[in-house]
Amino acid sequence: MPDGSTINGYALDEGRIDRNKVPAGWHAYSVMESDSDEDGETTLSIDHDGYVNHRMDFITTEDLSQRIDSGQLTEIHGDDWGFTDNDLVDDLAEKSGDDDFDLDTELEEKRHDMMDSAIRDQIFFKSDEENMTALKAAAWQTISHDEQNKGESTIGDLRIAPSINPHDLHLEDMSEEQIKEARKYGGWDPDKHKYVHFNLDGDLEGLSEKQADKLIWDNRQRILQAVRDDESANFSTVNLLHNCFNRERQVREHDYRTPDDNR
């Protein structure tokens, strides 16, 4: 930078980074390439997001919002970029000091640690809208991953579909007699119940919205454990769950008072 400071990060050349998968503590930006000037030099600019003349996406631990808004990151000359040959995996391996460093193993261990923390503290979890949304998304994704990888899911009974369109329950794979029997024993009435799912007995059980939310909430530990064991788990989902629990931990620690605390 003109002031002598340096911004460190990684670039995905000629590609875009999924903003939903950017881990906590990192920021993703678009790098735009300008047309060559009269001297034949091309400059690059970093913006919050952009689609015209997009060259690459850039990810860094520094929040560049103020620099972008002030115009500091407009028309950066090529000599100021200083790209190296190292990529993120190279740097992680170097920092670990492990000659056998494997990114997949590293991510798996991180997922386990983050979800173990969430499972341990789930007793403090509140059923507010944000947390419930995170649990529902986690259950849905994990069930889908399980079906793709193993054909079944340990939390398959938590796939809840609207009665008006239960396509995701794959009822087309069942005969009319099987559906009739499953409805009879599960008590599903499409005209009465807003939602439906296969219960643990394999019957079609009808649910109100309140009952559907309660089903997810009462099985939150099963959902968290399933995400922990899901080899295809999206890290955006893992981060979302971890951040929800981290927020609860911070609130709990902030509110904690010892008997001698006079505040």
Side-chain angles (χ1 to χ4, degrees):
M1 297 300 299
D3 62 5
S5 62
T6 301
I7 300 172
N8 295 303
Y10 299 89
L12 182 65
D13 201 12
E14 297 184 353
R16 291 188 179 275
I17 297 169
D18 186 345
R19 301 303 197 263
N20 294 321
K21 296 183 179 180
V22 176
W26 288 80
H27 307 272
Y29 303 97
S30 296
V31 179
M32 320 309 294
E33 186 174 52
S34 68
D35 295 330
S36 301
D37 58 21
E38 56 185 17
D39 295 326
E41 184 171 5
T42 299
T43 59
L44 301 175
S45 302
I46 296 179
D47 205 343
H48 293 292
D49 205 353
Y51 298 94
V52 179
N53 297 329
H54 178 270
R55 166 63 189 275
M56 67 184 79
D57 269 8
F58 182 73
I59 185 170
T60 176
T61 55
E62 182 178 340
D63 184 348
L64 303 180
S65 298
Q66 292 186 350
R67 290 183 183 268
I68 292 173
D69 293 340
S70 66
Q72 294 181 37
L73 301 179
T74 300
E75 296 187 350
I76 307 169
H77 293 283
D79 292 342
D80 292 329
W81 280 88
F83 287 113
T84 68
D85 291 331
N86 272 22
D87 58 23
L88 178 59
V89 177
D90 292 333
D91 289 344
L92 289 173
E94 186 176 331
K95 290 178 182 178
S96 72
D98 184 359
D99 293 336
D100 298 322
F101 175 84
D102 180 78
L103 182 59
D104 290 337
T105 301
E106 185 79 7
L107 290 175
E108 181 180 29
E109 291 177 353
K110 183 177 182 181
R111 186 184 77 248
H112 287 172
D113 289 343
M114 293 171 73
M115 296 312 302
D116 284 342
S117 178
I119 292 170
R120 183 182 63 246
D121 287 348
Q122 57 92 21
I123 189 174
F124 301 103
F125 206 39
K126 295 184 178 70
S127 56
D128 58 28
E129 182 178 357
E130 183 176 357
N131 294 343
M132 286 297 296
T133 298
L135 282 171
K136 291 175 185 177
W140 186 269
Q141 290 178 11
T142 303
I143 292 169
S144 297
H145 293 160
D146 286 346
E147 291 177 348
Q148 292 166 11
N149 297 332
K150 298 186 286 290
E152 59 184 20
S153 175
T154 58
I155 58 170
D157 58 301
L158 301 182
R159 183 187 284 283
I160 301 170
S163 289
I164 193 173
N165 182 21
H167 173 73
D168 292 305
L169 297 183
H170 306 296
L171 300 186
E172 66 275 9
D173 296 334
M174 301 172 63
S175 67
E176 290 186 10
E177 187 63 30
Q178 288 175 320
I179 293 176
K180 182 178 180 180
E181 184 177 350
R183 284 182 58 181
K184 175 183 177 181
Y185 290 106
W188 173 42
D189 183 347
D191 297 324
K192 175 183 176 182
H193 298 112
K194 186 173 183 178
Y195 297 101
V196 59
H197 78 123
F198 281 105
N199 60 25
L200 290 172
D201 293 326
D203 298 321
L204 288 167
E205 182 180 26
L207 301 167
S208 66
E209 185 167 0
K210 185 176 181 180
Q211 289 172 326
D213 283 350
K214 186 176 187 300
L215 182 65
I216 293 295
W217 176 249
D218 289 347
N219 287 277
R220 59 193 180 279
Q221 184 162 340
R222 287 178 63 206
I223 295 172
L224 297 173
Q225 184 65 48
V227 175
R228 184 195 186 279
D229 298 336
D230 181 9
E231 295 179 358
S232 301
N234 297 335
F235 243 92
S236 57
T237 301
V238 174
N239 274 318
L240 180 61
L241 289 170
H242 182 264
N243 289 340
C244 286
F245 282 98
N246 191 49
R247 187 182 69 245
E248 301 295 348
R249 280 191 290 272
Q250 290 173 349
V251 170
R252 188 173 75 254
E253 291 168 358
H254 180 268
D255 289 345
Y256 179 74
R257 300 289 184 269
T258 66
D260 298 328
D261 196 336
N262 295 321
R263 291 178 294 172

